[in-house]
Amino acid sequence: MLLSLPALHLQTSEHHPLFQLPHGRLGPWCSPTGSPAPLSCETGCGEGTWILVCRLLVPTQVSLLSMEEDIDTRKINNSFLRDHSYATEADIISTVEFNHTGELLATGDKGGRVVIFQREQESKNQVHRRGEYNVYSTFQSHEPEFDYLKSLEIEEKINKIRWLPQQNAAYFLLSTNDKTVKLWKVSERDKRPEGYNLKDEEGRLRDPATITTLRVPVLRPMDLMVEATPRRVFANAHTYHINSISVNSDYETYMSADDLRINLWNFEITNQSFNIVDIKPANMEELTEVITAAEFHPHHCNTFVYSSSKGTIRLCDMRAPALCDRHTKFFEEPEDPSNRSFFSEIISSISDVKFSHSGRYIMTRDYLTVKVWDLNMENRPIETYQVHDYLRSKLCSLYENDCIFDKFECVWNGSDSVIMTGSYNNFFRMFDRNTKRDVTLEASRENSKPRAILKPRKVCVGGKRRKDEISVDSLDFSKKILHTAWHPSENIIAVAATNNLYIFQDKVN
């Protein structure tokens, strides 16, 4: 039993909640190692057959492509794959996000890079390639910094990426590291102006005395070039590390959340923000919980929700008070005293919160479960799904190797009928809310051939196991699916495993 652990060891552990306060990161949840209207698509696929569309290796080094001068960028997708052991810490994918149409897919990594993939256009000759994504643009979003006042290194790791709805030919997205949010414009250019009056063909300024005629510049065709330019930099507003950003449905504002505060920004104003939530106590020794995730309602621009490390969710309405320290609704499930243990507080911490596309439900992910809450019922969730309940007997070892502090994300499908989240051993889970069926799938290098069919996996807890089952003792906890994304209108999913991005789609019979 868990209660048989040595009490002295637990009370003096450096990962105990009371001791875990390093460099502005708060609580055991931060271990040092550590839209449009509802879619009407039919996406019931809890028990469907999923096939691998493509496996994308995030291009991180220029030398990777220079190994062969005439290499096609598309080779990165399937054939030009490095061994997993060559992946560095900077190569690890830290966030995945589809844009509102699903035509673009952005990933951020621990090296501060953003890689955008574009969906292959359908052709009559290659209909099966419709689901593939190829490299569209790569740029360095954040650089490592150093706060000299606090003697604190600021990592370049991309914590979150959020797309803005497309209004013109260009694309806009927000990316953030621990301290700074940036607004990027991604645009295409296939023409260039020629025939300047004051400059020669090499761009050097001419002597005005030599200019005797007036020329009209003309646009000449050129090879397509994708440019990423920073349009806004929102900085110096967070004392602690940013864990969430969310674009409001008015598309004029967005919010950024750290461990203790949530700020509201206007896209046109970079030098100031409005603090809408502040849970920092006057005495930091009285700190009992921190903010772990926050998101705006998909349709109501005045409503947002944020979760805490105590497993609670607060719904706030900005129309009532300007400072939303007092919530409108409070969602919490009472804990069964008979199940309480030393790990109860740690595993109850919510790592992700997501509104459904309809705006009626909230989905939360803690360490062992995914829960669905109805906005009209605060006392308990309407649905609870066990992600990896077989790990309850492994909590002690997971605590020792810091895995218990991992932050798993969760996503809805386009019709809110299926939810997906990750697990260990590169497993990810799907739960069909209508049929109550679930499936465990694996994003593995062994099944990295295009069009390969994913086979359901099962984990065996007891001593005897079948041929197609895997023992819980042989799970690889270094391989974990923390970040996933679901296409907004189709059965296409993206799963990040270390430095590899797997894209699957539901097989259409």
Side-chain angles (χ1 to χ4, degrees), residues 361-391:
Y361 305 101
I362 301 173
M363 175 171 56
T364 61
R365 170 68 204 267
D366 56 42
Y367 190 68
L368 294 178
T369 65
V370 173
K371 299 176 181 178
V372 178
W373 303 76
D374 192 316
L375 290 184
N376 298 324
M377 188 167 68
E378 305 173 46
N379 59 341
R380 61 182 176 85
I382 59 173
E383 301 166 20
T384 300
Y385 301 97
Q386 300 294 333
V387 179
H388 37 216
D389 196 53
Y390 45 79
L391 295 182

Side-chain angles (χ1 to χ4, degrees), residues 403-421:
C403 286
I404 201 171
F405 304 108
D406 287 332
K407 303 179 184 67
F408 293 94
E409 297 177 359
C410 53
V411 292
W412 302 87
N413 72 334
S415 61
D416 300 332
S417 61
V418 182
I419 58 182
M420 176 176 62
T421 189

